[in-house]
Amino acid sequence: MFTCVIVSVFTLLVLPTANASPNGAPTAACGSMTPQHGYEPQTSASPFKAEIPVGEYVLMDDPVQLELRASAGATFKGFLIMAFDKDEDTKPIGTFTEPVDGQLLNCTDGFTNAVTHTNNTEKSLVKIKWQPPLYYMGTAVFRTTFVQNSTTYWVKTESIGVSFVMEIPSSASQSSTTWAGLIALLLALLIQ
C-alpha cells in the first residue's frame, strides 16, 4: 500500500513537468517569458541566440528574417520570441508571419506579436520572419526564451539591436547576399 502511494505521488508530481508545454508556450507565459516549468532559469551564457543575417540596419517597413540558432552540438526543444523597442521593454512591437517550425501567439494585447514552438523535438535552427510596425523608425531587439529541456532554460536572451532607417548608412556592414540582391534589382530596373 505504501509503495502505491509513493508511486502515485511521484507520478502526479514529476510527470506533468517532464513534458511541460510540448506544444508551445501558453499566452500566460507572455509577460515574464518564463516557461513555468517549476525550475529557475539559467544565469550562465545561453548556448542559443537569435541572429539577424541582414545586419544591424534595415530599411523602414522592410521585414526581418531571424534565425534562432544553437551553438555547435547543442539543441533546444522550445522557444518564445518577441520584439521590443530598445527604449520600451514592456510591450512587444511588430508582427510575425507563420513560421514553418512554430506558431503565432497574441501577447500583451497584441496580434501575432510572438512566436513559440509547436512541438518539443530537438532543434538547432528555426527561421522566423518579423514585420516592424508601419513607419517604425527606431531600434528593435528580439528577446527569446530558449528551452533546452524541462529543467534547463534561458529567459529573454537578447539579440543585437536592429535599427530601422530611411537609408542604409554606407559604413554599415551588410551581408554580401543583400548587396548582391540590391545590385541585381537595380540592374533589372535599368534594363527595362
Side-chain angles (χ1 to χ4, degrees):
M1 176 72 169
F2 180 74
T3 304
C4 289
V5 170
I6 296 296
V7 170
S8 297
V9 169
F10 177 81
T11 302
L12 289 173
L13 293 177
V14 175
L15 287 183
T17 61
N19 290 315
S21 303
N23 299 316
T27 55
C30 291
S32 66
M33 293 187 74
T34 302
Q36 303 167 354
H37 291 175
Y39 298 93
E40 292 296 313
Q42 301 299 301
T43 56
S44 60
S46 173
F48 315 111
K49 61 184 172 180
E51 291 185 343
I52 296 94
V54 72
E56 297 179 36
Y57 295 95
V58 176
L59 292 175
M60 180 180 65
D61 296 334
D62 278 1
V64 175
Q65 182 72 38
L66 302 161
E67 295 180 355
L68 304 184
R69 289 189 171 274
S71 298
T75 59
F76 56 95
K77 291 185 175 186
F79 64 90
L80 174 62
I81 184 169
M82 291 185 260
F84 296 86
D85 184 273
K86 183 181 82 164
D87 298 322
E88 170 58 68
D89 66 352
T90 60
K91 185 176 181 193
I93 61 171
T95 57
F96 290 92
T97 57
E98 189 78 42
V100 174
D101 295 326
Q103 61 185 323
L104 300 171
L105 284 180
N106 301 326
C107 285
T108 320
D109 300 324
F111 182 70
T112 67
N113 58 359
V115 177
T116 188
H117 55 286
T118 55
N119 60 61
N120 61 359
T121 59
E122 293 184 348
K123 304 159 187 53
S124 58
L125 173 66
V126 174
K127 294 183 179 185
I128 300 171
K129 192 174 184 180
W130 178 77
Q131 183 67 46
L134 193 60
Y135 308 124
Y136 177 69
M137 296 277 293
T139 301
V141 292
F142 297 90
R143 294 194 180 105
T144 311
T145 293
F146 289 98
V147 177
Q148 191 168 36
N149 58 53
S150 62
T151 62
T152 309
Y153 60 91
W154 290 261
V155 175
K156 297 182 182 178
T157 61
E158 195 166 294
S159 71
I160 62 167
V162 179
S163 296
F164 289 84
V165 295
M166 294 291 286
E167 183 178 327
I168 302 291
S170 60
S171 63
S173 62
Q174 297 289 312
S175 71
S176 59
T177 55
T178 300
W179 286 112
L182 289 173
I183 291 170
L185 178 64
L186 288 173
L187 287 174
L189 291 173
L190 289 173
I191 292 173
Q192 291 180 344

